[in-house]
Amino acid sequence: MSALTRNEAQLRAQLLDVHHYAVTLDLTGGDETFESTTVIRFTTRTAADTFVELKPDELHSAELDGSPLDPAALADNRLPLTGLGEGPHELRIATRMRYSRTGEGLHRFTDPADGEAYVYTQMFMDDIQRVFPAFDQPDLKAVFEFTVTAPAPWTVLANGITERVGDRDTDGAGIWKSAPTPVISTYLAAVAAGPWHSIRTEHAGLPFGIHCRQSLAPHLDADAEEILSITTDCYDRYHQKFSEPYPFDSYDQAFVPEFNAGAMENPGLVTFRDEFIYRSAVTDTERQIRAMVIAHEMAHMWFGDLVTLRWWDDIWLNESFAEYMGYQTLTEATRFTGTWTEFGVTRKSWGYDADQRPTTHPVAPDPDAVPDTASALLNFDGISYAKGASALRQLVAWLGEKDFLAGINTHFTRHKFANASLADFVDSLAAHTDRDVHAWADIWLRTTGIDILTPRVEESHGGWTLTVDHQGTRPHHIAVGLYDRDSDNTLEPRELLTVDVPSDEVVSVSGPRPALLVLNDGDLSYAKVRLDDTSVETALRDLSAIPDPLTRTVVWNSLRDMVRDGELEPAAYLSTADAHLPGEADLAIVQGVLAFARQHIADRYLAPEHRTEALATLTSIARALLRRTEDGSDPGLRLAAVRALIDAATQPDTLAAWLEDDTVPGGPELDPELRWRILARLCVLGAAGEREIDAALAADPSATGEEGAARCRAALPTAEAKATAWERLFHDDSLSNYLFSATAQGFWQPEQADLVRDYVPRYYADAIALGARRGPAIAEAAGRWAFPGHAVDEDNLQAGHSGLADPAIVPGLRRKLVDQLDDLARALRIRTP
């Protein structure tokens, strides 16, 4: 398959105006393929040759202006269009297309709970070509209309309002038509079809709907009020912020199975992974994350859909803005007022980690660094999302929100229903401020890496002085929090200084030196911050006494970075967690610290002989949290504690008793998620087997149950189980994207290092062959979930670097392996400083 290059896209954009796609899909032909017929109307500005992209199972016919084209001319997903004269043209192409099982193109899913089938599109980057032909690049916008024939019980959703206009005489299949869209980019076209459970309402004169598969209907019903309230509150808040009104005719949100991303911003039909329809108890932090995703995707209706990037080097114009606006708007418009704490704990660390790997790139890369769509796909990472959002948060702090909003509204007005670049956006901002935003963009968006800010505190006559040492290149407008220890041994804020970095200024402060000094208090900038010696001592001893959760987040992140940089012993971090998490009031902090302590420190940063002790510490923290929540005052915190205790268990007795009793003493009762979590841990420990897995699947014959069973079977500590799982992962090719990921998650377990030792060197050749065979989505899953990250040793590192030399490796897998191997090398350095 050929990746579209930036140069090809520029030439084609100079040649063509694309006006309209009329797409006809027949979804009644079985569960392997579907029929697709497309009529594209376009105009050429001059006589020339070009091409249209498609990836059919079979190309039935193609006609250009009524004259047939040779189907045999299709090569490398391109059909040549030669001898085009200046003026209007009509291209008609009929194909048979293949359903996807990997979340790309038109994905088809059969629900094991009831046998009902569902299909939905994911057209992102170049996967529209798996559904119908297109001039597939973001700056060739057009109007889209769909006509879809679907089984009689199904409902069809699309970007525009859909209507069932008739039934087919032969079998009663429904014929659905969608209203024409405004001009949108090809990757944003969307269709979803199936026997949806739908809840519909109206808001601000527009139809709103939420949809899921039938087996999830009771769970959607239980949360519908919350989902719709978040949706409408964010909608109203965006209309207060943005001068351009919502630009589409409806707002549907479809929660779809086996979705590869968190969500996709298709205008008028946002698709979400249906794990956001909770079958089991979740913490309020998880509800907040769902709400943030809703707010993020709605922001895309303006940032990405109304105004779209011209080429993929400017993906940050979509993702960074949606990330920032999602968190900020959720804080302003809903009950979730602590969203920036969760951002700091989870998203920001994602950005920091990505920015320290060899694959780091600027938030806004040089166009030459994104030469084609294959390379563009690699940049959807913690930099484009979290770092970009952090940069925007710093921009707002520096520029002021009034001027920032004025600039983005000018941007919308200038480029609505069109395309724009970084330069266009900066020009819009510059129209509303005297500050040099062009220089800001060059420094913040065109550079890589993380600045490090370190305080230097010196005693002086009658007080002390502060100098901020700055390792890096970016300017920072930050707050510096000063905290004193009071008589109750809590930390009270004394003063909040405002400091611009870099600066030669020495800040003189009267009075005693504070017990704790926190750079970047409030977390408004993007930088690693260090603590002075006195503050390190205070943090390790009194971290939970810091009154503000966002300040505690900054300090926890500083300790995390010190562990990763070899400046703090992993055991010291664990001891700090043991001392302070039992009293921590913010759930996002509890979950984030526990996750880092388990997944990084216990599983990777500590040598195997110290792992049991680390898990014992995590168990101690979890038990302390359980004792604290015995009165039922904080069910979310109790759930987080139960999960942590399950994951850290080294003996099966307690878990087996919970599973037998179907409850945790004092609550909660076990729900499907907890049952599968317990069973998976028991399988790892050799205390459960196929009989228990079969019984659990019989009790929960859902898609999630099938994933749980796959995870458990791969986790069984037997040679036979590992051989079967490996065959399914790397040689069977029948696993869907979700079943592949679940199997991979179960396969590698630190407790089973000896059992799976011989598979470690096999991984690289098998994963490279798999990626070439099954495509980008499975390649990414193989690099993310199937990587032997538990094997922290030189042999694994060397085998990985040898694998990178294989010319058959696809770009997505190469990128993932480079990142994984860099993390592996970091773990080795931490183990052997």
Side-chain angles (χ1 to χ4, degrees):
M1 300 291 181
S2 294
L4 183 70
T5 70
R6 178 173 172 267
N7 289 338
E8 289 172 327
Q10 288 177 330
L11 289 173
R12 193 163 59 175
Q14 293 168 7
L15 173 65
L16 300 182
D17 288 313
V18 184
H19 307 297
H20 188 273
Y21 288 82
V23 181
T24 301
L25 304 176
D26 187 341
L27 308 179
T28 63
D31 60 3
E32 295 297 327
T33 61
F34 61 96
E35 297 298 313
S36 174
T37 300
T38 304
V39 177
I40 309 173
R41 291 190 289 106
F42 65 98
T43 300
T44 53
R45 298 190 182 97
T46 186
D49 298 339
T50 189
F51 58 90
V52 68
E53 293 107 313
L54 66 159
K55 301 175 183 177
D57 188 57
E58 181 180 343
L59 174 54
H60 296 318
S61 64
E63 294 180 359
L64 179 61
D65 299 328
S67 298
L69 302 177
D70 183 5
L74 177 67
D76 290 331
N77 67 290
R78 297 179 177 190
L79 182 66
L81 305 177
T82 58
L84 289 168
E86 180 181 350
H89 300 278
E90 182 176 279
L91 178 64
R92 179 183 296 269
I93 298 178
T95 64
R96 181 176 65 237
M97 296 290 193
R98 186 161 294 276
Y99 288 115
S100 166
R101 299 292 187 274
T102 60
E104 302 158 294
L106 187 60
H107 184 85
R108 185 180 178 99
F109 169 85
T110 300
D111 193 338
D114 55 17
E116 297 286 2
Y118 299 83
V119 302
Y120 63 88
T121 55
Q122 174 65 334
M123 309 284 208
F124 184 72
M125 195 62 75
D126 58 6
D127 283 332
I128 193 172
Q129 303 163 36
R130 300 170 182 264
V131 184
F132 57 89
F135 297 108
D136 192 12
Q137 59 191 71
D139 58 346
L140 287 179
K141 289 186 165 184
V143 173
F144 287 80
E145 290 185 77
F146 292 96
T147 301
V148 181
T149 302
W154 287 17
T155 299
V156 175
L157 308 169
N159 299 105
I161 295 172
T162 59
E163 181 182 2
R164 188 166 182 163
V165 296
D167 297 332
R168 192 163 59 190
D169 294 338
T170 55
D171 58 4
I175 302 171
W176 296 75
K177 285 187 178 292
S178 72
T181 67
V183 290
I184 60 175
S185 295
T186 50
Y187 74 93
L188 296 169
V191 169
W196 302 109
H197 173 69
S198 299
I199 298 173
R200 300 180 185 275
T201 187
E202 187 175 290
H203 182 73
L206 293 177
F208 279 53
I210 50 178
H211 315 270
C212 72
R213 48 192 162 104
Q214 290 289 338
S215 64
L216 294 178
H219 310 292
L220 179 62
D221 290 346
D223 276 359
E225 182 177 354
E226 177 178 300
I227 292 170
L228 289 171
S229 176
I230 294 293
T231 302
T232 54
D233 287 348
C234 290
Y235 180 92
D236 292 343
R237 184 59 180 150
Y238 284 133
H239 278 83
Q240 294 170 354
K241 287 175 174 284
F242 303 153
S243 58
E244 288 294 327
Y246 174 73
F248 307 104
D249 68 4
S250 55
Y251 199 76
D252 284 299
Q253 297 175 105
F255 295 86
V256 299
E258 297 188 325
F259 197 64
N260 278 332
M264 179 64 197
E265 66 268 21
N266 314 305
L269 178 57
V270 179
T271 43
F272 297 81
R273 58 170 54 223
D274 66 11
E275 289 98 323
F276 283 130
I277 304 300
Y278 302 127
R279 299 192 320 143
S280 299
V282 293
T283 68
D284 208 45
T285 299
E286 288 165 299
R287 291 187 177 277
Q288 177 180 291
I289 290 170
R290 177 176 68 185
M292 193 287 296
V293 176
I294 290 171
H296 174 115
E297 301 307 323
M298 185 176 287
H300 272 309
M301 299 301 115
W302 289 266
F303 293 101
D305 296 1
L306 176 66
V307 181
T308 311
L309 48 77
R310 187 168 290 122
W311 180 246
W312 300 108
D313 56 308
D314 278 325
I315 191 59
W316 81 282
L317 285 170
N318 287 13
E319 299 304 342
S320 299
F321 275 89
E323 186 91 344
Y324 170 77
M325 282 293 174
Y327 276 98
Q328 184 63 25
T329 301
L330 203 65
T331 299
E332 297 168 351
T334 75
R335 70 178 180 88
F336 296 111
T337 57
T339 57
W340 287 112
T341 298
E342 185 273 324
F343 177 85
V345 172
T346 58
R347 302 294 276 186
K348 207 161 192 180
S349 58
W350 179 37
Y352 287 160
D353 292 356
D355 213 7
Q356 296 174 82
R357 296 182 180 125
T359 57
T360 186
H361 57 87
V363 172
D366 186 276
D368 292 339
V370 190
D372 56 32
T373 53
S375 58
L377 193 60
L378 308 181
N379 286 345
F380 288 82
D381 57 13
I383 295 172
S384 295
Y385 287 77
K387 181 180 179 179
S390 299
L392 289 175
R393 199 165 187 229
Q394 174 67 181
L395 174 64
V396 174
W398 177 66
L399 199 63
E401 186 175 40
K402 180 181 177 181
D403 289 347
F404 175 73
L405 289 176
I408 63 175
N409 280 314
T410 294
H411 187 63
F412 293 153
T413 300
R414 288 176 175 176
H415 305 288
K416 60 184 177 182
F417 300 113
N419 300 82
S421 66
L422 168 61
D424 297 323
F425 172 72
V426 174
D427 286 345
S428 296
L429 284 180
H432 296 276
T433 181
D434 293 332
R435 292 185 180 268
D436 190 349
V437 288
H438 292 87
W440 178 91
D442 286 340
I443 294 171
W444 271 94
L445 305 180
R446 294 295 195 192
T447 59
T448 63
I450 305 175
D451 290 5
I452 301 176
L453 308 181
T454 304
R456 186 151 42 87
V457 178
E458 296 181 2
E459 304 287 348
S460 66
H461 182 68
W464 53 280
T465 61
L466 167 66
T467 305
V468 180
D469 291 338
H470 177 218
Q471 180 181 331
T473 60
R474 301 185 188 96
H476 301 267
H477 182 73
I478 62 171
V480 180
L482 311 182
Y483 298 84
D484 295 321
R485 189 180 290 109
D486 67 12
S487 58
D488 296 328
N489 212 34
T490 60
L491 291 169
E492 290 293 330
R494 180 204 301 180
E495 187 177 0
L496 200 63
L497 308 175
T498 299
V499 176
D500 288 309
V501 179
S503 173
D504 294 330
E505 179 185 3
V506 177
V507 180
S508 297
V509 185
S510 61
R513 176 177 182 155
L516 176 70
L517 184 151
V518 181
L519 300 181
N520 196 30
D521 202 349
D523 206 25
L524 291 177
S525 196
Y526 176 86
K528 292 197 290 188
V529 299
R530 294 295 191 247
L531 303 171
D532 64 274
D533 291 343
T534 299
S535 295
V536 169
E537 180 182 343
T538 300
L540 295 179
R541 191 177 77 177
D542 299 320
L543 203 159
S544 57
I546 299 171
D548 185 71
L550 200 49
T551 306
R552 295 197 300 276
T553 296
V554 172
V555 175
W556 276 114
N557 278 346
S558 181
L559 298 179
R560 177 188 186 275
D561 290 333
M562 290 171 67
V563 172
R564 284 173 46 83
D565 294 344
E567 298 175 15
L568 181 69
E569 290 292 331
Y573 185 97
L574 277 179
S575 296
T576 307
D578 194 20
H580 299 295
L581 281 194
E584 175 57 57
D586 192 280
L587 186 55
I589 292 176
V590 172
Q591 290 176 285
V593 172
L594 284 174
F596 179 70
R598 168 59 202 275
Q599 296 167 13
H600 294 273
I601 290 180
D603 287 357
R604 306 192 77 184
Y605 292 168
L606 291 174
E609 60 267 25
H610 299 303
R611 185 167 183 274
T612 299
E613 181 182 353
L615 293 179
T617 299
L618 294 174
T619 298
S620 172
I621 295 170
R623 290 194 181 280
L625 292 170
L626 286 178
R627 288 192 296 271
R628 174 179 153 192
T629 56
E630 285 176 344
D631 60 357
S633 60
D634 195 336
L637 183 60
R638 188 169 183 82
L639 177 59
V642 168
R643 290 172 176 171
L645 198 149
I646 294 168
D647 294 346
T650 57
Q651 299 297 323
D653 295 350
T654 297
L655 303 189
W658 289 358
L659 198 58
E660 177 69 23
D661 296 340
D662 207 29
T663 189
V664 177
E669 294 184 357
L670 300 191
D671 53 31
E673 191 275 334
L674 286 177
R675 290 191 197 99
W676 283 114
R677 185 184 287 259
I678 289 173
L679 186 57
R681 192 62 185 158
L682 291 174
C683 287
V684 171
L685 298 175
E690 289 285 357
R691 179 174 62 84
E692 289 83 1
I693 297 170
D694 290 342
L697 186 57
D700 180 22
S702 65
T704 308
E706 287 195 338
E707 293 160 30
R711 192 175 294 109
C712 287
R713 290 192 174 105
L716 290 172
T718 67
E720 180 182 20
K722 297 302 182 185
T724 299
W726 195 264
E727 178 67 22
R728 296 205 74 196
L729 285 169
F730 293 108
H731 304 292
D732 186 331
D733 288 1
S734 66
L735 291 179
S736 71
N737 50 339
Y738 271 39
L739 288 175
F740 179 95
S741 295
T743 303
Q745 289 160 10
F747 187 87
W748 304 110
Q749 302 293 335
E751 291 85 354
Q752 301 166 359
D754 289 340
L755 178 63
V756 297
R757 190 177 308 280
D758 291 343
Y759 287 98
V760 174
R762 291 176 55 184
Y763 164 77
Y764 296 98
D766 284 0
I768 289 167
L770 178 76
R773 197 168 64 246
R774 295 202 67 188
I778 294 297
E780 198 277 340
R784 180 181 183 186
W785 299 116
F787 181 80
H790 74 287
V792 183
D793 55 57
E794 284 289 345
D795 288 343
N796 188 13
L797 191 62
Q798 293 305 316
H801 285 298
S802 295
L804 292 177
D806 190 329
I809 191 170
V810 297
L813 180 58
R814 169 180 284 280
R815 165 67 183 268
K816 205 69 183 178
L817 291 185
V818 169
D819 288 348
Q820 292 277 29
L821 293 169
D822 187 65
D823 290 350
L824 185 65
R826 180 182 291 270
L828 267 173
R829 291 194 299 272
I830 292 170
R831 282 192 183 183
T832 56

